[in-house]
Every structure is written in structure tokens, then in C-alpha cells.
Amino acid sequence: MFDLNKLVRQNILSLAPYSCARNEFSGTASVWLDANESPFNGPYNRYPDPLQKQVKERLSAIKGVDAERIFLGNGSDECIDLMYRVFCQPKVDNVVAIAPSYGMYEVCADINDVEYRKVALNDDYTINVDALLAATDERTKVIWICSPNNPTGNAFPVADIERVIKGFSGIVVVDEAYGEFSSQPSMRFRLNEFPNLLVMQTFSKAWGSAGVRLGMAFASEAIIGLFNKVKYPYNVNMLTQQFALDHLAKLDDIKAWVDTLLSERTRLINSLDALPQVETTFPTDANFVLARVVDADDIYKHLQAQGIIVRNRNKVEKCLGCLRITVGTPEENDAVINGISNYGTEQ
């Protein structure tokens, strides 16, 4: 049985959150003398909306999730860190995660002094649901599932994710940073079914805005309320909020970007598969390709020498001999294809 209050750290339950000036007034005013702001250099002299209401209203219409169930953070990394700060007692609690996966789950666990338990994916990069659930105990607060997964690229079947959610009394985080590149439906539409589900998405990947640092979390109003209680008052600045509003008016452009990347992903995979230097490419639902090559370290250095930067995953669990290659523009993809193809051919 899921009981949110039993999962939350007691000091967080009793926390009196900081109440900033903009939290204490709603309506229209012409004279603002409450927050010790400068009267000059408007509009940047004013603190931003601490709850990003306009952005959430716009996102609500696009994502099909009530605004009260949306959290906006300084990148998804803030959402990840808040999971630990809200739910995990240092030196006492633990979390469970698939491996390999996104590295910040473990980094944030280490920062917060929380035990991080890894459960290896199967050799075909599928989830061992039974092993994942078996790794939990009465002190496990969170299970992390990145789907599509980084660095393997594959999305996990909804049935497997459902089994994890139903079989665990803590919170299951499904990180859909690469979800727009997958044909699999988003788990955010299942929030009403699963009160212990939190889904993360981001402006960084399909929406082409990694430099803006804006992450999204979708969950029950109760979980989002806890995030808002603990977050820094003005965690998303005015410039980022305005950028988001402008960017959310460009959905046709974003769809065109995704369509182009999906087409280029297919071309990149086919071209890599034809190279003798590439042993295999793995199925991907993301905007990158994991490729096993004849000598990952040497080919990585070879590409670097040509000014081409990919990610060497050779020392990552279950990724021996692999490079992770982001899908770029046609010209960038041609460069990496040509760069790998001329490896070992130099006179």
C-alpha cells in the first residue's frame, strides 16, 4: 500500500517553507515595495514568479497534465536532487536503479549520502523486473527507470514499467528525457492510476534547449507540493520563463526537428552498420546510437583528432567496446561516418 507520508523525511513534513514576496499576493498592483527590489531596470528588477504559473498553464495544455501536477526545475537535475532531499534520509535510506543508466542519479545519491543500489540490465538491455524489485527493502524510497535509457537508447515495455510500479510501495521515477524520439506513449498519462509515479521530461533534447536548463516533473499534486515546499524560492529565472513561453509557441518547428532527427537516425544507423570498423549498433528509441566498434578507445581518440567528439562508453557496465553517438545535422553525421570509415586506412 502506497502511503506518501511514510516516505517523506520527517523534517520535510514539519518544514515551514520560505514564503517569498510573490507567494503572499495575487492580483494586480502598481506599486511594489515589498521585496527590497530596485525600482530601476524593469522588468529584470523584479523577482520572477516562484511557481512559473504562465509556463505551467501553457505546458498543461500541451502535455495534457493539470498545472498543479507540474514541477519546473533548473534542469532535470534539480528534480533528481529533490527526490533525495524530500524522501531519502542520509545514511539510512536507499534507492534502486537499473544499470547502466544516467549518471546523475548516482551522483545525487552520493551527494546526499544515500545508498545507491544498481541492478544490471539483461544482456539485451531489457529490465529484469524481478531482480529490480528484489533489490528493494523497507528503506528503499525510490526506483529510477530511464526510458528511453541512456546510454543504451532503448525504451522499456510499458508492461515492465507497470510491474515495477505495482510491485513497489515507494516512488518510481520514469525519466523520459528522450521520450519524443520514441513511439512508446508517455507514462505521464498514467498519473491517475499510479499515485507513486513521477515522470520527468526536459526542454534539453527534442526541444533543442539544453543551454536554457529547464526540466519538468509530472506527479500527483501531493508530490509536486512537496517539491515546491523544498525548492529554492526562485529556482527558474525570469529569462528562462519567458524563453519557455516563446518556445512553446514553436511546436511545429520542434516537430520538424524531431522528424529530421528520426530520419537522420535511420541513415546514421544504416551507414554505421555498413562499416567494417563497427561490429554492431543497438536498437534505439533516443536521439543517439550506441555502437560497438573494433577498438572504442582508439577510434574515440581518432575522432577527437579530427575535431569530432562522441561519448566513449567503453568502461561503462555492459557497454564494453561501445561509443555513444548523438544524431546531429546531416553534415555532422557525415563527418562521424567518414571519420570512423577512415580509421585504420591511413598510410
Side-chain angles (χ1 to χ4, degrees), residues 199-220:
V199 178
M200 295 196 306
Q201 296 183 354
T202 181
F203 276 68
S204 294
K205 310 302 181 183
W207 293 17
S209 303
V212 173
R213 308 311 302 132
L214 188 59
M216 298 167 272
F218 307 93
S220 67

Side-chain angles (χ1 to χ4, degrees), residues 154-334:
N154 56 314
F156 302 114
V158 171
D160 286 348
I161 296 175
E162 287 180 359
R163 281 187 60 202
V164 176
I165 297 171
K166 292 176 180 178
F168 180 54
S169 58
I171 297 175
V172 177
V173 178
V174 180
D175 186 348
E176 296 180 346
Y178 303 94
E180 288 91 344
F181 303 103
S182 172
S183 60
Q184 189 162 288
S186 171
M187 290 299 296
R188 73 179 186 275
F189 299 117
R190 312 291 297 279
L191 293 176
N192 287 335
E193 298 175 57
F194 304 122
N196 62 328
L197 171 65
L198 183 143
V199 178
M200 295 196 306
Q201 296 183 354
T202 181
F203 276 68
S204 294
K205 310 302 181 183
W207 293 17
S209 303
V212 173
R213 308 311 302 132
L214 188 59
M216 298 167 272
F218 307 93
S220 67
E221 288 186 41
I223 293 175
I224 297 303
L226 288 165
F227 273 32
N228 287 332
K229 186 178 185 180
V230 174
K231 76 174 183 71
Y232 293 119
Y234 305 107
N235 62 321
V236 179
N237 67 68
M238 180 186 296
L239 297 175
T240 296
Q241 292 187 45
Q242 187 57 55
F243 173 90
L245 289 171
D246 294 342
H247 206 54
L248 290 170
K250 301 176 182 178
L251 296 183
D252 289 342
D253 290 341
I254 294 168
K255 182 181 183 303
W257 298 344
V258 171
D259 289 345
T260 298
L261 290 173
L262 292 177
S263 176
E264 280 296 301
R265 184 178 75 186
T266 299
R267 186 176 75 88
L268 178 60
I269 291 170
N270 291 338
S271 298
L272 292 173
D273 282 339
L275 299 180
Q277 295 89 347
V278 177
E279 296 178 353
T280 188
T281 58
F282 294 93
T284 181
D285 298 287
N287 69 330
F288 59 83
V289 178
L290 188 69
R292 179 162 287 133
V293 296
V294 295
D295 188 331
D297 291 342
D298 207 37
I299 290 180
Y300 176 72
K301 293 175 184 176
H302 171 77
L303 292 173
Q304 273 191 323
Q306 300 174 69
I308 301 167
I309 309 301
V310 298
R311 196 74 188 271
N312 188 353
R313 302 284 78 186
N314 184 36
K315 294 183 172 57
V316 172
E317 182 178 4
K318 291 190 177 288
C319 294
L320 180 67
C322 290
L323 301 177
R324 193 192 70 193
I325 304 170
T326 305
V327 181
T329 65
E331 295 76 17
E332 290 170 330
N333 298 331
D334 286 341

